[in-house]
Structure formats: C-alpha cells, structure tokens
PDB file of all heavy atoms in Angstrom:
ATOM      1  N   SER D  17      20.159 -22.953-148.740  1.00 89.00           N
ATOM      2  CA  SER D  17      20.786 -22.471-150.001  1.00 89.00           C
ATOM      3  C   SER D  17      19.628 -22.034-150.886  1.00 89.00           C
ATOM      4  O   SER D  17      18.489 -22.346-150.680  1.00 89.00           O
ATOM      5  CB  SER D  17      21.564 -23.562-150.686  1.00 89.00           C
ATOM      6  OG  SER D  17      20.686 -24.658-151.076  1.00 89.00           O
ATOM      7  N   PRO D  18      19.871 -21.233-151.965  1.00 89.00           N
ATOM      8  CA  PRO D  18      18.861 -20.832-152.840  1.00 89.00           C
ATOM      9  C   PRO D  18      18.151 -22.005-153.521  1.00 89.00           C
ATOM     10  O   PRO D  18      16.892 -21.896-153.686  1.00 89.00           O
ATOM     11  CB  PRO D  18      19.603 -20.065-153.927  1.00 89.00           C
ATOM     12  CG  PRO D  18      20.834 -19.500-153.277  1.00 89.00           C
ATOM     13  CD  PRO D  18      21.244 -20.684-152.253  1.00 89.00           C
ATOM     14  N   SER D  19      18.753 -23.114-153.703  1.00 90.00           N
ATOM     15  CA  SER D  19      18.104 -24.264-154.312  1.00 90.00           C
ATOM     16  C   SER D  19      17.116 -24.919-153.414  1.00 90.00           C
ATOM     17  O   SER D  19      16.074 -25.458-153.800  1.00 90.00           O
ATOM     18  CB  SER D  19      19.123 -25.256-154.835  1.00 90.00           C
ATOM     19  OG  SER D  19      19.910 -25.737-153.756  1.00 90.00           O
ATOM     20  N   GLU D  20      17.446 -24.849-152.064  1.00 91.00           N
ATOM     21  CA  GLU D  20      16.531 -25.431-151.119  1.00 91.00           C
ATOM     22  C   GLU D  20      15.394 -24.572-150.641  1.00 91.00           C
ATOM     23  O   GLU D  20      14.421 -25.073-150.138  1.00 91.00           O
ATOM     24  CB  GLU D  20      17.332 -25.851-149.855  1.00 91.00           C
ATOM     25  CG  GLU D  20      18.374 -26.878-149.999  1.00 91.00           C
ATOM     26  CD  GLU D  20      19.181 -27.196-148.751  1.00 91.00           C
ATOM     27  OE1 GLU D  20      18.789 -26.685-147.694  1.00 91.00           O
ATOM     28  OE2 GLU D  20      20.124 -28.032-148.893  1.00 91.00           O
ATOM     29  N   GLU D  21      15.503 -23.255-150.946  1.00 89.00           N
ATOM     30  CA  GLU D  21      14.545 -22.299-150.433  1.00 89.00           C
ATOM     31  C   GLU D  21      13.576 -22.048-151.542  1.00 89.00           C
ATOM     32  O   GLU D  21      13.839 -21.888-152.710  1.00 89.00           O
ATOM     33  CB  GLU D  21      15.246 -21.022-150.032  1.00 89.00           C
ATOM     34  CG  GLU D  21      14.299 -19.941-149.535  1.00 89.00           C
ATOM     35  CD  GLU D  21      15.037 -18.542-149.381  1.00 89.00           C
ATOM     36  OE1 GLU D  21      15.212 -17.832-150.381  1.00 89.00           O
ATOM     37  OE2 GLU D  21      15.313 -18.273-148.208  1.00 89.00           O
ATOM     38  N   THR D  22      12.248 -21.852-151.103  1.00 89.00           N
ATOM     39  CA  THR D  22      11.163 -21.364-151.930  1.00 89.00           C
ATOM     40  C   THR D  22      10.788 -20.011-151.444  1.00 89.00           C
ATOM     41  O   THR D  22      10.319 -19.904-150.196  1.00 89.00           O
ATOM     42  CB  THR D  22      10.034 -22.332-151.965  1.00 89.00           C
ATOM     43  OG1 THR D  22      10.380 -23.597-152.367  1.00 89.00           O
ATOM     44  CG2 THR D  22       8.906 -21.798-152.804  1.00 89.00           C
ATOM     45  N   PRO D  23      10.902 -18.954-152.182  1.00 87.00           N
ATOM     46  CA  PRO D  23      10.570 -17.593-151.657  1.00 87.00           C
ATOM     47  C   PRO D  23       9.048 -17.588-151.288  1.00 87.00           C
ATOM     48  O   PRO D  23       8.218 -18.160-151.921  1.00 87.00           O
ATOM     49  CB  PRO D  23      10.809 -16.665-152.851  1.00 87.00           C
ATOM     50  CG  PRO D  23      11.794 -17.458-153.717  1.00 87.00           C
ATOM     51  CD  PRO D  23      11.402 -18.838-153.579  1.00 87.00           C
ATOM     52  N   GLY D  24       8.802 -16.745-150.240  1.00 83.00           N
ATOM     53  CA  GLY D  24       7.419 -16.492-149.839  1.00 83.00           C
ATOM     54  C   GLY D  24       6.966 -15.103-150.178  1.00 83.00           C
ATOM     55  O   GLY D  24       7.717 -14.370-150.895  1.00 83.00           O
ATOM     56  N   ILE D  25       5.762 -14.697-149.861  1.00 83.00           N
ATOM     57  CA  ILE D  25       5.293 -13.356-150.065  1.00 83.00           C
ATOM     58  C   ILE D  25       5.638 -12.482-148.876  1.00 83.00           C
ATOM     59  O   ILE D  25       6.012 -13.033-147.837  1.00 83.00           O
ATOM     60  CB  ILE D  25       3.784 -13.362-150.348  1.00 83.00           C
ATOM     61  CG1 ILE D  25       2.958 -13.895-149.093  1.00 83.00           C
ATOM     62  CG2 ILE D  25       3.372 -14.144-151.565  1.00 83.00           C
ATOM     63  CD1 ILE D  25       1.508 -13.873-149.218  1.00 83.00           C
ATOM     64  N   LEU D  26       5.460 -11.207-149.079  1.00 80.00           N
ATOM     65  CA  LEU D  26       5.895 -10.273-147.988  1.00 80.00           C
ATOM     66  C   LEU D  26       4.832 -10.248-146.845  1.00 80.00           C
ATOM     67  O   LEU D  26       5.195 -10.258-145.700  1.00 80.00           O
ATOM     68  CB  LEU D  26       6.161  -8.900-148.588  1.00 80.00           C
ATOM     69  CG  LEU D  26       6.473  -7.814-147.495  1.00 80.00           C
ATOM     70  CD1 LEU D  26       7.686  -8.152-146.733  1.00 80.00           C
ATOM     71  CD2 LEU D  26       6.736  -6.500-148.270  1.00 80.00           C
ATOM     72  N   ASP D  27       3.614 -10.001-147.185  1.00 81.00           N
ATOM     73  CA  ASP D  27       2.561  -9.847-146.179  1.00 81.00           C
ATOM     74  C   ASP D  27       1.744 -11.150-146.010  1.00 81.00           C
ATOM     75  O   ASP D  27       1.246 -11.663-146.944  1.00 81.00           O
ATOM     76  CB  ASP D  27       1.621  -8.715-146.629  1.00 81.00           C
ATOM     77  CG  ASP D  27       2.385  -7.445-146.843  1.00 81.00           C
ATOM     78  OD1 ASP D  27       3.022  -6.952-145.857  1.00 81.00           O
ATOM     79  OD2 ASP D  27       2.289  -6.859-147.874  1.00 81.00           O
ATOM     80  N   ALA D  28       1.575 -11.538-144.703  1.00 83.00           N
ATOM     81  CA  ALA D  28       0.809 -12.666-144.374  1.00 83.00           C
ATOM     82  C   ALA D  28      -0.062 -12.530-143.152  1.00 83.00           C
ATOM     83  O   ALA D  28       0.338 -11.778-142.279  1.00 83.00           O
ATOM     84  CB  ALA D  28       1.777 -13.924-144.187  1.00 83.00           C
ATOM     85  N   PHE D  29      -1.211 -13.130-143.133  1.00 86.00           N
ATOM     86  CA  PHE D  29      -2.092 -13.104-142.014  1.00 86.00           C
ATOM     87  C   PHE D  29      -2.274 -14.517-141.580  1.00 86.00           C
ATOM     88  O   PHE D  29      -2.710 -15.347-142.307  1.00 86.00           O
ATOM     89  CB  PHE D  29      -3.466 -12.531-142.356  1.00 86.00           C
ATOM     90  CG  PHE D  29      -3.425 -11.063-142.637  1.00 86.00           C
ATOM     91  CD1 PHE D  29      -3.103 -10.531-143.804  1.00 86.00           C
ATOM     92  CD2 PHE D  29      -3.768 -10.111-141.614  1.00 86.00           C
ATOM     93  CE1 PHE D  29      -3.059  -9.147-144.072  1.00 86.00           C
ATOM     94  CE2 PHE D  29      -3.741  -8.758-141.796  1.00 86.00           C
ATOM     95  CZ  PHE D  29      -3.366  -8.283-143.082  1.00 86.00           C
ATOM     96  N   LEU D  30      -1.929 -14.797-140.289  1.00 87.00           N
ATOM     97  CA  LEU D  30      -2.031 -16.123-139.755  1.00 87.00           C
ATOM     98  C   LEU D  30      -3.029 -16.274-138.665  1.00 87.00           C
ATOM     99  O   LEU D  30      -2.939 -15.582-137.621  1.00 87.00           O
ATOM    100  CB  LEU D  30      -0.617 -16.541-139.235  1.00 87.00           C
ATOM    101  CG  LEU D  30       0.560 -16.623-140.132  1.00 87.00           C
ATOM    102  CD1 LEU D  30       1.846 -16.806-139.431  1.00 87.00           C
ATOM    103  CD2 LEU D  30       0.372 -17.570-141.273  1.00 87.00           C
ATOM    104  N   PRO D  31      -4.062 -17.175-138.826  1.00 87.00           N
ATOM    105  CA  PRO D  31      -5.037 -17.293-137.758  1.00 87.00           C
ATOM    106  C   PRO D  31      -4.370 -17.939-136.515  1.00 87.00           C
ATOM    107  O   PRO D  31      -3.594 -18.894-136.686  1.00 87.00           O
ATOM    108  CB  PRO D  31      -6.086 -18.259-138.364  1.00 87.00           C
ATOM    109  CG  PRO D  31      -5.870 -18.184-139.820  1.00 87.00           C
ATOM    110  CD  PRO D  31      -4.419 -17.855-140.040  1.00 87.00           C
ATOM    111  N   LEU D  32      -4.635 -17.427-135.332  1.00 89.00           N
ATOM    112  CA  LEU D  32      -4.005 -17.910-134.127  1.00 89.00           C
ATOM    113  C   LEU D  32      -4.923 -19.118-133.562  1.00 89.00           C
ATOM    114  O   LEU D  32      -6.120 -19.050-133.812  1.00 89.00           O
ATOM    115  CB  LEU D  32      -3.948 -16.848-133.094  1.00 89.00           C
ATOM    116  CG  LEU D  32      -3.033 -15.687-133.422  1.00 89.00           C
ATOM    117  CD1 LEU D  32      -3.017 -14.560-132.328  1.00 89.00           C
ATOM    118  CD2 LEU D  32      -1.543 -16.113-133.712  1.00 89.00           C
ATOM    119  N   PRO D  33      -4.282 -20.053-132.867  1.00 88.00           N
ATOM    120  CA  PRO D  33      -5.041 -21.193-132.250  1.00 88.00           C
ATOM    121  C   PRO D  33      -6.156 -20.616-131.345  1.00 88.00           C
ATOM    122  O   PRO D  33      -5.796 -19.835-130.399  1.00 88.00           O
ATOM    123  CB  PRO D  33      -4.009 -21.937-131.492  1.00 88.00           C
ATOM    124  CG  PRO D  33      -2.701 -21.553-132.122  1.00 88.00           C
ATOM    125  CD  PRO D  33      -2.865 -20.125-132.576  1.00 88.00           C
ATOM    126  N   PRO D  34      -7.369 -20.977-131.479  1.00 86.00           N
ATOM    127  CA  PRO D  34      -8.429 -20.398-130.562  1.00 86.00           C
ATOM    128  C   PRO D  34      -8.195 -20.621-129.091  1.00 86.00           C
ATOM    129  O   PRO D  34      -8.658 -19.891-128.277  1.00 86.00           O
ATOM    130  CB  PRO D  34      -9.713 -21.166-131.081  1.00 86.00           C
ATOM    131  CG  PRO D  34      -9.350 -21.532-132.537  1.00 86.00           C
ATOM    132  CD  PRO D  34      -7.888 -21.893-132.540  1.00 86.00           C
ATOM    133  N   ASP D  35      -7.539 -21.758-128.768  1.00 84.00           N
ATOM    134  CA  ASP D  35      -7.263 -22.054-127.377  1.00 84.00           C
ATOM    135  C   ASP D  35      -6.024 -21.424-126.819  1.00 84.00           C
ATOM    136  O   ASP D  35      -5.621 -21.665-125.695  1.00 84.00           O
ATOM    137  CB  ASP D  35      -7.280 -23.505-127.141  1.00 84.00           C
ATOM    138  CG  ASP D  35      -6.200 -24.230-127.920  1.00 84.00           C
ATOM    139  OD1 ASP D  35      -5.770 -23.635-128.973  1.00 84.00           O
ATOM    140  OD2 ASP D  35      -5.785 -25.349-127.572  1.00 84.00           O
ATOM    141  N   GLN D  36      -5.400 -20.606-127.678  1.00 84.00           N
ATOM    142  CA  GLN D  36      -4.089 -19.980-127.253  1.00 84.00           C
ATOM    143  C   GLN D  36      -4.030 -18.500-127.531  1.00 84.00           C
ATOM    144  O   GLN D  36      -3.060 -17.965-128.016  1.00 84.00           O
ATOM    145  CB  GLN D  36      -2.866 -20.656-127.868  1.00 84.00           C
ATOM    146  CG  GLN D  36      -2.561 -22.009-127.311  1.00 84.00           C
ATOM    147  CD  GLN D  36      -1.374 -22.619-127.890  1.00 84.00           C
ATOM    148  OE1 GLN D  36      -1.211 -22.879-129.096  1.00 84.00           O
ATOM    149  NE2 GLN D  36      -0.402 -23.000-127.060  1.00 84.00           N
ATOM    150  N   VAL D  37      -5.201 -17.861-127.349  1.00 83.00           N
ATOM    151  CA  VAL D  37      -5.288 -16.403-127.632  1.00 83.00           C
ATOM    152  C   VAL D  37      -5.754 -15.635-126.401  1.00 83.00           C
ATOM    153  O   VAL D  37      -6.494 -14.626-126.472  1.00 83.00           O
ATOM    154  CB  VAL D  37      -6.237 -16.138-128.815  1.00 83.00           C
ATOM    155  CG1 VAL D  37      -5.572 -16.499-130.127  1.00 83.00           C
ATOM    156  CG2 VAL D  37      -7.523 -16.836-128.650  1.00 83.00           C
ATOM    157  N   THR D  38      -5.476 -16.229-125.200  1.00 86.00           N
ATOM    158  CA  THR D  38      -5.790 -15.446-123.992  1.00 86.00           C
ATOM    159  C   THR D  38      -5.021 -14.077-123.911  1.00 86.00           C
ATOM    160  O   THR D  38      -3.973 -13.928-124.502  1.00 86.00           O
ATOM    161  CB  THR D  38      -5.370 -16.263-122.726  1.00 86.00           C
ATOM    162  OG1 THR D  38      -3.966 -16.630-122.840  1.00 86.00           O
ATOM    163  CG2 THR D  38      -6.211 -17.559-122.603  1.00 86.00           C
ATOM    164  N   GLU D  39      -5.673 -13.162-123.306  1.00 85.00           N
ATOM    165  CA  GLU D  39      -4.999 -11.804-123.177  1.00 85.00           C
ATOM    166  C   GLU D  39      -3.704 -11.868-122.556  1.00 85.00           C
ATOM    167  O   GLU D  39      -3.484 -12.610-121.617  1.00 85.00           O
ATOM    168  CB  GLU D  39      -5.926 -10.906-122.403  1.00 85.00           C
ATOM    169  CG  GLU D  39      -5.390  -9.434-122.224  1.00 85.00           C
ATOM    170  CD  GLU D  39      -6.238  -8.623-121.304  1.00 85.00           C
ATOM    171  OE1 GLU D  39      -7.405  -9.061-121.016  1.00 85.00           O
ATOM    172  OE2 GLU D  39      -5.816  -7.611-120.908  1.00 85.00           O
ATOM    173  N   GLY D  40      -2.710 -11.165-123.100  1.00 86.00           N
ATOM    174  CA  GLY D  40      -1.404 -11.133-122.514  1.00 86.00           C
ATOM    175  C   GLY D  40      -0.286 -11.480-123.487  1.00 86.00           C
ATOM    176  O   GLY D  40      -0.522 -11.521-124.729  1.00 86.00           O
ATOM    177  N   LEU D  41       0.875 -11.927-122.997  1.00 89.00           N
ATOM    178  CA  LEU D  41       2.046 -12.202-123.821  1.00 89.00           C
ATOM    179  C   LEU D  41       2.058 -13.658-124.251  1.00 89.00           C
ATOM    180  O   LEU D  41       1.804 -14.514-123.332  1.00 89.00           O
ATOM    181  CB  LEU D  41       3.321 -11.807-123.061  1.00 89.00           C
ATOM    182  CG  LEU D  41       3.495 -10.307-122.798  1.00 89.00           C
ATOM    183  CD1 LEU D  41       4.716 -10.107-121.901  1.00 89.00           C
ATOM    184  CD2 LEU D  41       3.621  -9.510-124.049  1.00 89.00           C
ATOM    185  N   HIS D  42       2.451 -13.931-125.476  1.00 90.00           N
ATOM    186  CA  HIS D  42       2.720 -15.252-126.050  1.00 90.00           C
ATOM    187  C   HIS D  42       4.018 -15.263-126.760  1.00 90.00           C
ATOM    188  O   HIS D  42       4.456 -14.304-127.290  1.00 90.00           O
ATOM    189  CB  HIS D  42       1.498 -15.619-126.895  1.00 90.00           C
ATOM    190  CG  HIS D  42       0.222 -15.723-126.236  1.00 90.00           C
ATOM    191  ND1 HIS D  42      -0.371 -16.915-125.880  1.00 90.00           N
ATOM    192  CD2 HIS D  42      -0.681 -14.757-125.859  1.00 90.00           C
ATOM    193  CE1 HIS D  42      -1.542 -16.697-125.299  1.00 90.00           C
ATOM    194  NE2 HIS D  42      -1.744 -15.320-125.299  1.00 90.00           N
ATOM    195  N   LEU D  43       4.619 -16.460-126.784  1.00 91.00           N
ATOM    196  CA  LEU D  43       5.908 -16.528-127.422  1.00 91.00           C
ATOM    197  C   LEU D  43       5.762 -16.869-128.890  1.00 91.00           C
ATOM    198  O   LEU D  43       5.206 -17.906-129.296  1.00 91.00           O
ATOM    199  CB  LEU D  43       6.697 -17.687-126.730  1.00 91.00           C
ATOM    200  CG  LEU D  43       8.091 -17.844-127.314  1.00 91.00           C
ATOM    201  CD1 LEU D  43       8.984 -16.614-126.863  1.00 91.00           C
ATOM    202  CD2 LEU D  43       8.788 -19.127-126.805  1.00 91.00           C
ATOM    203  N   LEU D  44       6.331 -16.060-129.785  1.00 92.00           N
ATOM    204  CA  LEU D  44       6.412 -16.245-131.214  1.00 92.00           C
ATOM    205  C   LEU D  44       7.817 -16.645-131.544  1.00 92.00           C
ATOM    206  O   LEU D  44       8.824 -16.002-131.246  1.00 92.00           O
ATOM    207  CB  LEU D  44       6.021 -15.018-131.923  1.00 92.00           C
ATOM    208  CG  LEU D  44       6.197 -15.077-133.426  1.00 92.00           C
ATOM    209  CD1 LEU D  44       5.140 -16.034-134.056  1.00 92.00           C
ATOM    210  CD2 LEU D  44       6.008 -13.615-134.104  1.00 92.00           C
ATOM    211  N   LEU D  45       7.936 -17.766-132.244  1.00 93.00           N
ATOM    212  CA  LEU D  45       9.201 -18.281-132.697  1.00 93.00           C
ATOM    213  C   LEU D  45       9.249 -18.392-134.247  1.00 93.00           C
ATOM    214  O   LEU D  45       8.262 -18.928-134.815  1.00 93.00           O
ATOM    215  CB  LEU D  45       9.462 -19.591-132.033  1.00 93.00           C
ATOM    216  CG  LEU D  45      10.811 -20.315-132.375  1.00 93.00           C
ATOM    217  CD1 LEU D  45      11.997 -19.616-131.831  1.00 93.00           C
ATOM    218  CD2 LEU D  45      10.833 -21.767-131.844  1.00 93.00           C
ATOM    219  N   LEU D  46      10.310 -17.892-134.851  1.00 93.00           N
ATOM    220  CA  LEU D  46      10.389 -17.926-136.289  1.00 93.00           C
ATOM    221  C   LEU D  46      11.680 -18.546-136.682  1.00 93.00           C
ATOM    222  O   LEU D  46      12.732 -18.348-136.101  1.00 93.00           O
ATOM    223  CB  LEU D  46      10.297 -16.504-136.914  1.00 93.00           C
ATOM    224  CG  LEU D  46       9.022 -15.631-136.592  1.00 93.00           C
ATOM    225  CD1 LEU D  46       9.284 -14.237-136.984  1.00 93.00           C
ATOM    226  CD2 LEU D  46       7.837 -16.288-137.338  1.00 93.00           C
ATOM    227  N   ARG D  47      11.703 -19.318-137.819  1.00 93.00           N
ATOM    228  CA  ARG D  47      12.892 -19.824-138.489  1.00 93.00           C
ATOM    229  C   ARG D  47      12.892 -19.184-139.899  1.00 93.00           C
ATOM    230  O   ARG D  47      11.895 -19.316-140.615  1.00 93.00           O
ATOM    231  CB  ARG D  47      12.847 -21.328-138.567  1.00 93.00           C
ATOM    232  CG  ARG D  47      14.215 -21.867-139.165  1.00 93.00           C
ATOM    233  CD  ARG D  47      14.283 -23.396-139.027  1.00 93.00           C
ATOM    234  NE  ARG D  47      15.500 -23.921-139.594  1.00 93.00           N
ATOM    235  CZ  ARG D  47      15.533 -24.496-140.764  1.00 93.00           C
ATOM    236  NH1 ARG D  47      14.348 -24.683-141.415  1.00 93.00           N
ATOM    237  NH2 ARG D  47      16.645 -25.001-141.268  1.00 93.00           N
ATOM    238  N   VAL D  48      13.912 -18.406-140.225  1.00 92.00           N
ATOM    239  CA  VAL D  48      13.800 -17.543-141.373  1.00 92.00           C
ATOM    240  C   VAL D  48      15.111 -17.798-142.277  1.00 92.00           C
ATOM    241  O   VAL D  48      16.158 -18.106-141.789  1.00 92.00           O
ATOM    242  CB  VAL D  48      13.903 -16.027-140.920  1.00 92.00           C
ATOM    243  CG1 VAL D  48      13.811 -15.081-142.131  1.00 92.00           C
ATOM    244  CG2 VAL D  48      12.790 -15.736-139.892  1.00 92.00           C
ATOM    245  N   SER D  49      14.813 -17.684-143.572  1.00 91.00           N
ATOM    246  CA  SER D  49      15.947 -17.639-144.632  1.00 91.00           C
ATOM    247  C   SER D  49      15.499 -16.641-145.696  1.00 91.00           C
ATOM    248  O   SER D  49      14.313 -16.447-145.886  1.00 91.00           O
ATOM    249  CB  SER D  49      16.246 -19.045-145.095  1.00 91.00           C
ATOM    250  OG  SER D  49      15.112 -19.448-145.997  1.00 91.00           O
ATOM    251  N   SER D  50      16.561 -16.071-146.354  1.00 87.00           N
ATOM    252  CA  SER D  50      16.224 -15.135-147.386  1.00 87.00           C
ATOM    253  C   SER D  50      17.404 -15.109-148.472  1.00 87.00           C
ATOM    254  O   SER D  50      18.029 -14.164-148.629  1.00 87.00           O
ATOM    255  CB  SER D  50      16.153 -13.756-146.793  1.00 87.00           C
ATOM    256  OG  SER D  50      17.352 -13.452-145.996  1.00 87.00           O
ATOM    257  N   HIS D  51      17.550 -16.224-149.150  1.00 86.00           N
ATOM    258  CA  HIS D  51      18.569 -16.402-150.170  1.00 86.00           C
ATOM    259  C   HIS D  51      18.157 -15.707-151.566  1.00 86.00           C
ATOM    260  O   HIS D  51      19.060 -15.455-152.313  1.00 86.00           O
ATOM    261  CB  HIS D  51      18.827 -17.885-150.464  1.00 86.00           C
ATOM    262  CG  HIS D  51      19.445 -18.602-149.294  1.00 86.00           C
ATOM    263  ND1 HIS D  51      20.778 -18.541-148.950  1.00 86.00           N
ATOM    264  CD2 HIS D  51      18.802 -19.339-148.279  1.00 86.00           C
ATOM    265  CE1 HIS D  51      20.935 -19.277-147.918  1.00 86.00           C
ATOM    266  NE2 HIS D  51      19.787 -19.764-147.414  1.00 86.00           N
ATOM    267  N   HIS D  52      16.925 -15.415-151.717  1.00 81.00           N
ATOM    268  CA  HIS D  52      16.488 -14.861-153.026  1.00 81.00           C
ATOM    269  C   HIS D  52      16.263 -13.346-153.033  1.00 81.00           C
ATOM    270  O   HIS D  52      15.824 -12.804-154.068  1.00 81.00           O
ATOM    271  CB  HIS D  52      15.238 -15.511-153.501  1.00 81.00           C
ATOM    272  CG  HIS D  52      15.396 -16.946-153.912  1.00 81.00           C
ATOM    273  ND1 HIS D  52      15.364 -18.039-153.024  1.00 81.00           N
ATOM    274  CD2 HIS D  52      15.522 -17.523-155.069  1.00 81.00           C
ATOM    275  CE1 HIS D  52      15.555 -19.187-153.610  1.00 81.00           C
ATOM    276  NE2 HIS D  52      15.681 -18.901-154.924  1.00 81.00           N
ATOM    277  N   LEU D  53      16.652 -12.611-151.976  1.00 76.00           N
ATOM    278  CA  LEU D  53      16.441 -11.216-151.970  1.00 76.00           C
ATOM    279  C   LEU D  53      17.345 -10.479-152.963  1.00 76.00           C
ATOM    280  O   LEU D  53      16.909  -9.534-153.629  1.00 76.00           O
ATOM    281  CB  LEU D  53      16.757 -10.720-150.554  1.00 76.00           C
ATOM    282  CG  LEU D  53      15.661 -10.903-149.484  1.00 76.00           C
ATOM    283  CD1 LEU D  53      16.038 -10.221-148.212  1.00 76.00           C
ATOM    284  CD2 LEU D  53      14.298 -10.384-150.016  1.00 76.00           C
ATOM    285  N   GLY D  54      18.591 -10.873-153.056  1.00 72.00           N
ATOM    286  CA  GLY D  54      19.478 -10.216-154.002  1.00 72.00           C
ATOM    287  C   GLY D  54      20.193  -9.005-153.410  1.00 72.00           C
ATOM    288  O   GLY D  54      20.935  -8.338-154.040  1.00 72.00           O
ATOM    289  N   PHE D  55      19.744  -8.630-152.190  1.00 70.00           N
ATOM    290  CA  PHE D  55      20.479  -7.540-151.437  1.00 70.00           C
ATOM    291  C   PHE D  55      20.136  -7.798-149.980  1.00 70.00           C
ATOM    292  O   PHE D  55      19.409  -8.606-149.534  1.00 70.00           O
ATOM    293  CB  PHE D  55      19.786  -6.244-151.861  1.00 70.00           C
ATOM    294  CG  PHE D  55      18.303  -6.068-151.471  1.00 70.00           C
ATOM    295  CD1 PHE D  55      18.002  -5.243-150.319  1.00 70.00           C
ATOM    296  CD2 PHE D  55      17.299  -6.657-152.087  1.00 70.00           C
ATOM    297  CE1 PHE D  55      16.727  -5.125-149.890  1.00 70.00           C
ATOM    298  CE2 PHE D  55      15.934  -6.565-151.651  1.00 70.00           C
ATOM    299  CZ  PHE D  55      15.687  -5.737-150.610  1.00 70.00           C
TER     300      PHE D  55
END
C-alpha cells in the first residue's frame, strides 16, 4: 500500500558480487511496487 511503500529513485547502479560475475547468463529477480507514481 502507499503507506507501506517508500518511493525510490529512477536510476540505480548496483555492484555485482565479485564471485558471481562469470561471463554468461545470470538470473536477476526483482520484487517491485509502484503505489506513488500517480499514473
């Protein structure tokens, strides 16, 4: 709900774990909410 959510910024850079950056495909999982957009 809007009261439980704290809005984030749009652009983010996240350092990857040094031991999990081998060349190839890796699984990215996201949990997302957007109650404060207004549209």
Side-chain angles (χ1 to χ4, degrees):
S17 66
S19 61
E20 294 179 6
E21 179 189 79
T22 301
I25 61 175
L26 175 57
D27 301 303
F29 290 84
L30 300 174
L32 297 177
D35 58 337
Q36 288 184 300
V37 288
T38 54
E39 178 185 348
L41 295 173
H42 295 260
L43 184 69
L44 175 67
L45 180 67
L46 300 169
R47 185 169 177 260
V48 184
S49 68
S50 54
H51 293 278
H52 288 82
L53 283 184
F55 68 103

